Amino acid sequence: MERIVLKHLSGSKANQVEEFPLAHVKELILGRDPSSTVKYDPDRDDLVGRQHAKITQDPNDPSQFIVTDLNSRNGTFVNRQRVAGTVRLGPGDVVQLGPNGPEFIF
């Protein structure tokens, strides 16, 4: 079964692994909002916005994934580079929500 795997490196979810089967998930919303797919602790992960970023399949190539910053105040970073708009994600890329915010391996 194809799935998205997030291995959390830091923040309130450090050392946790989350898996999302592609058959059931069209997009992952990352944030502190209770409706987010990947929920962060509102007190401990204060650099994360309520709806900070989203990960979706690339509409032009469903075998690829993209991350989009949802106009978060602190920004989204992929491999230490700040995302402007949308950036393609590859296996092993490190995503960080805000400078010094929680990180995970995609």
Side-chain angles (χ1 to χ4, degrees):
M1 173 192 308
E2 293 184 316
R3 61 190 181 273
I4 296 172
V5 178
L6 306 181
K7 183 178 182 199
H8 297 279
L9 300 174
S10 61
S12 64
K13 299 171 98 42
N15 302 314
Q16 295 179 36
V17 176
E18 292 183 275
E19 297 187 18
F20 303 91
L22 288 182
H24 304 298
V25 176
K26 295 298 172 224
E27 70 177 12
L28 297 179
I29 301 292
L30 312 169
R32 292 181 296 126
D33 192 276
S35 67
S36 298
T37 322
V38 180
K39 297 174 195 66
Y40 286 89
D41 185 289
D43 298 319
R44 293 172 51 204
D45 295 316
D46 58 347
L47 290 174
V48 179
R50 287 181 57 79
Q51 291 196 335
H52 194 102
K54 69 179 177 179
I55 297 173
T56 54
Q57 285 181 291
D58 186 333
N60 302 317
D61 182 356
S63 70
Q64 300 292 317
F65 293 88
I66 53 178
V67 62
T68 305
D69 183 79
L70 298 176
N71 298 316
S72 66
R73 182 181 322 134
N74 294 307
T76 301
F77 298 79
V78 176
N79 300 326
R80 303 273 183 232
Q81 299 296 310
R82 189 170 183 143
V83 169
T86 296
V87 172
R88 182 166 275 176
L89 278 179
D93 281 346
V94 176
V95 177
Q96 185 175 34
L97 305 178
N100 301 315
E103 293 181 301
F104 62 84
I105 297 175
F106 178 77

